[in-house]
Amino acid sequence: MSVVVRTIARILLPIVFAFGGYVIMHGHLTPGGGFQGGAVVASALALVLVAFGEASLKKYKDLLSALESLGGVAFVVLGLIGIPFTFFANVLAGVGGLFGQSVPPGPNPGYLNTAGTLPLMNWAVGLKVIAGLGSVVVLFGLFGGEDDR
Amino acid sequence: MKRWFVLAAFLVVAGFLVLLGTGMRPFGAPKAFEMDQYFIDYTQAEVAANNVVTAVVFDYRGYDTLGEATVLFCAVVGVALILRKVRR
Amino acid sequence: MTVWAVLQVMTLVLIVIGSVLAVWLKDLLAAVLALGGASLLLSLEFYLLQAPDVAIAEAGIGAALTTAIFILAIRKTRRKEEE
């Protein structure tokens, strides 16, 4: 692409990545979550692909597929943690420790250390969506080139 | 002939949509609200989360999210199968 | 209250116009851009209906990723639609 597109992409990319990470990280406090933040980061990957060419993301293809499987496995394992009660039981909520702080009833004060397994599941689904949609975009970009994929 | 068939199909679908639209309930007044009220009342005590939507998606309806993740995985596998390098 | 109603009606009319343009245009790149604009306006409509989760998902998937994938596919194939 032209130098204008590349310059604007260099300015815009850190902001988009930071916003996607914010949406995933605060999924249990604000609107959004793993799927939405993952979609935002994957669109940033599409911007990288369009602005800097297909060759810039080619070496990350195996990493993306590995992250996709890691996100899926982490999600199922987090569901299996609550298997003594029921599948997807939230065993970390309200017992102290990691994300175990309980919330007072009423309006949202914005405590980050709450909600049990929900932030971890947000990160698992976020990794899965980033890697899945990112690898779809990368595969579409690499298709039909003269070099092997 | 084909043009008249397309026009008739369009009119039938548009008529059904308008007929359904006239019977809609007003905004913010759902027909069955007991489950919504349960989520609003008990999410902060049971899940210890402030975001009710995320609590429903990842805790109460975790199976649905698992199915959604499976759908995404199937889509990625399909794209990777179709767009792979063909070996001769 | 009426301001919100007028804004919603304008958004819905623009969504219909964008969708009709996406079907009607022969230049596929312009059609894809019309589809992306309609999707972005649909995300605005979700936000006006107080569903910010769906609005973020629609803006990310529909307006950005689908447009990018369609443009990548058009770049590998033809740009003009043929009868």
Side-chain angles (χ1 to χ4, degrees):
Chain A
M1 276 290 170
S2 65
V3 67
V4 177
V5 177
R6 271 183 281 142
T7 309
I8 296 295
R10 277 200 193 94
I11 297 171
L12 208 58
L13 275 174
I15 303 173
V16 180
F17 276 118
F19 180 68
Y22 161 75
V23 170
I24 297 177
M25 189 183 295
H26 288 203
H28 57 294
L29 296 176
T30 55
F35 191 75
Q36 286 88 359
V40 170
V41 178
S43 65
L45 287 181
L47 179 61
V48 170
L49 193 81
V50 170
F52 300 107
E54 289 88 0
S56 59
L57 281 180
K58 187 182 166 189
K59 57 178 177 291
Y60 295 116
K61 195 161 65 69
D62 294 333
L63 177 67
L64 283 179
S65 59
L67 279 182
E68 218 265 351
S69 306
L70 181 68
V73 169
F75 185 71
V76 176
V77 165
L78 283 172
L80 282 176
I81 282 178
I83 206 68
F85 305 100
T86 170
F87 199 40
F88 285 107
N90 201 339
V91 290
L92 291 180
V95 295
L98 184 66
F99 296 119
Q101 187 179 349
S102 59
V103 294
N108 186 358
Y111 297 150
L112 195 61
N113 195 17
T114 54
T117 56
L118 262 64
L120 302 171
M121 280 188 182
N122 266 323
W123 274 108
V125 173
L127 271 184
K128 191 170 168 55
V129 172
I130 289 170
L133 296 178
S135 61
V136 165
V137 174
V138 170
L139 282 172
F140 261 94
L142 288 177
F143 178 68
E146 58 273 6
D147 52 346
D148 60 345
R149 301 186 278 284
Chain B
M1 182 63 197
K2 185 187 172 190
R3 182 181 297 269
W4 288 108
F5 180 72
V6 169
L7 185 63
F10 173 74
L11 283 181
V12 166
V13 173
F16 268 116
L17 284 179
V18 170
L19 195 67
L20 283 176
T22 55
M24 278 174 75
R25 299 179 65 83
F27 181 66
K31 191 177 179 182
F33 58 89
E34 294 88 0
M35 207 68 207
D36 308 349
Q37 200 58 48
Y38 177 83
F39 285 143
I40 292 170
D41 287 340
Y42 291 99
T43 293
Q44 284 183 325
E46 286 182 356
V47 194
N50 283 116
N51 194 344
V52 182
V53 177
T54 309
V56 170
V57 166
F58 285 107
D59 193 300
Y60 292 110
R61 300 279 187 263
Y63 280 117
D64 284 345
T65 310
L66 186 61
E68 178 192 345
T70 313
V71 166
L72 183 69
F73 180 73
C74 290
V76 174
V77 166
V79 170
L81 271 178
I82 291 176
L83 300 183
R84 73 188 188 278
K85 183 188 176 188
V86 181
R87 299 189 184 277
R88 298 184 181 89
Chain C
M1 199 63 185
T2 56
V3 176
W4 291 102
V6 168
L7 206 57
Q8 284 191 9
V9 169
M10 281 173 52
T11 311
L12 289 172
V13 168
L14 284 175
I15 289 171
V16 170
I17 289 175
S19 308
V20 170
L21 275 180
V23 177
W24 181 65
L25 285 172
K26 293 295 181 190
D27 191 350
L28 288 180
L29 194 58
V32 166
L33 288 184
L35 194 62
S39 185
L40 196 63
L41 285 166
L42 184 61
S43 132
L44 176 64
E45 175 65 26
F46 279 135
Y47 181 73
L48 289 180
L49 289 175
Q50 303 174 13
D53 288 279
V54 194
I56 297 174
E58 177 71 29
I61 299 285
L65 268 179
T66 313
T67 311
I69 288 177
F70 271 132
I71 287 176
L72 284 173
I74 286 173
R75 206 163 70 178
K76 311 285 182 190
T77 55
R78 293 191 311 271
R79 183 172 166 176
K80 297 289 181 183
E81 184 180 0
E82 294 171 1
E83 286 294 328

